[in-house]
Every structure is written in C-alpha cells, then in structure tokens.
Amino acid sequence: MSTNCNQDIDVFDLFRWLKGQLKKFLIYGFRFFRFVFRNILIILLLLMIGVVAGYGLSKLLNPLKTAEILVAPNVKSTAYLYGKIEELDRSASDDESVINKQFPIVNLREISIEPVEDITSVLKNLEEFPVDIVPRISENYDDKSNFFDKPLYAPAYDVHKITLVASDTIAIESFLAYLENQEYFQDKRKALLKSIATELEANKFTIAQIDSTLGAVPNALKQDRGAITVMGSNENSEVSAIITTKSELLERNTDLVQMSEGLDRVFKVYSQSNWVNKTSLRSLLIYILPILLISIFILYHLILRFKNRYS
C-alpha cells in the first residue's frame, strides 16, 4: 500500500517539476522576445553590417573553385595517369617547377584522382590483374574499407575521377592536352587502332566470302533435293558452321567498332563539370559574420545582466 502511495507521490513530483520547467521556459522566452523587440533596430543594423562585411570579405579573399573530370584510361595508361596527377599535385605550389613551363598551373592549388567504385569493372578486369595482389573481393568488399583508395588496385577500374581545386578557372582542354602529350601511349593507341582496322578488313573479307558461299547453296539444293533432308538432320553441317562463324564475325566487328570509337584519346573523357565555388569558410562568411555579431551583442547583454544581478 505504501509502495503505491510513494509511486503516486513520485508521479506528482514529476509533473510539478515539469510544470516548473515549462513556466521557466515561458518566462525566458518572453524575456528574450521582449529583448529582441526593444533592440530590433540594433539587431537589424548588426545583421546588415555582417552581411555586407561577409560579402565583401568573400569577394576579397577570392574563394577557391573546383571542377571534376571523369576519364577512362586506354592502352593500360592508368599507372601513368596516377603518377602524373601526383606530380602535378606536388608541383602545384612550386613556381619553379618544370611542369609550369609545359602547362600553366599558377592557379592550381590541389589536384587528386580516385577510382570510381564499380565492383563489376573490377571483376571483369581480374583476368589481366596479377594474381598475387588480387584479394578475395567477394568476401572483403566493404564500402568503408580503403581498398578502393589504393593506387595499387587502380588499374582494375575502368573510370576514374580527377578533382581540381584552383584559385581561378583553368582551361580543362589545356589540362587534358597536357595529359595526352605522351608519345609512348600515343604510339600504342595508334598501333592498336591500326590493328583494329586490319582485323575489321579481314573480318569483312571473310564475311563476303561466306555470303558468296551461302549464295551458291540455293542452286546446289535445286540440283539435289536430298541435300535438304541431310542438312536438316545434321546440326553440325558445314552450312550451319559457316552461318555460326558469320554471326561471330559480325559480333566481333561490332565490338571492334566500339573499341576504335573509344580510342580517340589516350584518356577518354566521359564528363567534365563546370568550375564552381568550393564550399569553404570564406564562402560562408556572409552567413557567419551576421550570426557572430548578433551573438556577441546578446552575450554582452547577458553578461551585463548577470553582473548587475550579483553585484
């Protein structure tokens, strides 16, 4: 019985405490709004000063700009691409760098590259990847792991993202032209294009020969009606094999045409963004300064009120 009584008292005390807290909240809220109403002109003035000062400082400090490029390296040039990006990043702050004479990077502040995570491309490229450094991806895959950040595994990905940060815009085409200016990979690209063209011509010649052979079949069948029954009962007949070969050659030619279209550059560009202002502290000054000035004003009055109460 006493237990139930104590529980009733505890609940009553809880509600009384909540009532007291709500009353304090309403009192402080009323005082705050009264303070804002009495000082509304000062607060608006501080707000305007903060916005103007923040806008002026953000323009004066020249906020950094950033752009992104998605590229697909051809002719096994991924390692070269990562090496060049690292070299550019190290040279970004070095005015005496040799790279500056080849590519104007005065405005460049930072450049980085990372693979676009795609487990499908990794599995597709495993056959060309050294077996001793290929982890068991199906078991170790984890979105939070740093597996995808290691340059060692970069060649396993088809697409890579280059991020540029600069104090002013840089001509993206000039940057890409600088990457393309590598004679070794250009020679490999041209040799591969020539090989593809040669294979295409050979396949077209073979397809023409097949069409010529198949064109003679109707005349042969007219002379020997029994051949139709033989062809229908034999799945591995020569005509059937010829038709299969033609289908395979047509599919191969389609793949070769797609390959040649993708070899227009050593680093095929899938997309590139426009230069946009990089989100940073300087770009948020227009919001930070007004809040800071008003907060200092309110804090000053709180300290003054506390001092007058307890003096």
Side-chain angles (χ1 to χ4, degrees), residues 3 25 104 110 116 130 147 203 205 219 229-230 252 283 296 299:
T3 303
F25 175 76
E110 181 184 347
V116 177
F147 166 79
N203 290 346
F205 178 79
N219 294 329
T229 305
V230 174
R252 176 59 179 169
S283 62
I296 292 174
L299 182 62

Side-chain angles (χ1 to χ4, degrees), residues 124-271:
K124 181 187 69 176
N125 296 326
L126 282 182
E127 294 180 358
E128 301 180 2
F129 222 52
V131 178
D132 56 334
I133 61 173
V134 175
R136 301 183 66 183
I137 298 174
S138 59
E139 297 180 3
N140 298 331
Y141 176 79
D142 183 3
D143 289 336
K144 297 180 180 180
S145 73
N146 60 353
F147 166 79
F148 301 97
D149 298 331
K150 296 180 180 179
L152 180 65
Y153 305 112
Y157 296 91
D158 290 334
V159 183
H160 303 262
K161 181 176 71 174
I162 301 174
T163 304
L164 300 98
V165 179
S167 58
D168 200 358
T169 58
I170 297 174
I172 298 296
E173 287 302 322
S174 298
F175 167 70
L176 294 173
Y178 167 71
L179 292 179
E180 292 283 327
N181 187 23
Q182 221 293 334
E183 186 176 355
Y184 171 71
F185 288 110
Q186 287 292 346
D187 290 342
K188 286 186 66 176
R189 183 182 69 86
K190 293 175 183 177
L192 184 56
L193 282 173
K194 185 177 180 180
S195 175
I196 290 174
T198 302
E199 187 177 352
L200 274 172
E201 290 301 321
N203 290 346
K204 289 178 181 179
F205 178 79
T206 304
I207 291 171
Q209 293 293 324
I210 291 174
D211 290 339
S212 176
T213 301
L214 292 176
V217 171
N219 294 329
L221 293 178
K222 288 179 181 179
Q223 298 176 3
D224 187 1
R225 296 287 182 179
I228 298 178
T229 305
V230 174
M231 289 178 58
S233 60
N234 186 5
E235 295 181 356
N236 296 318
S237 65
E238 292 183 3
V239 174
S240 181
I242 290 174
I243 294 174
T244 302
T245 301
K246 179 182 177 180
S247 299
E248 292 175 351
L249 289 174
L250 289 173
E251 291 179 2
R252 176 59 179 169
N253 279 1
T254 302
D255 294 338
L256 290 174
V257 170
Q258 292 178 351
M259 288 174 59
S260 63
E261 291 175 351
L263 285 169
D264 56 333
R265 310 178 73 156
V266 174
F267 304 103
K268 182 173 178 60
V269 179
Y270 278 107
S271 67

Side-chain angles (χ1 to χ4, degrees), residues 77-91 99 111 113 151 154 178-179 267:
S77 57
T78 305
Y80 165 79
L81 175 63
Y82 273 71
K84 272 298 179 186
I85 296 300
E86 290 178 4
E87 186 180 2
L88 281 171
D89 189 46
R90 289 193 303 268
S91 305
I99 294 180
I111 182 170
I113 184 171
Y178 167 71
L179 292 179
F267 304 103

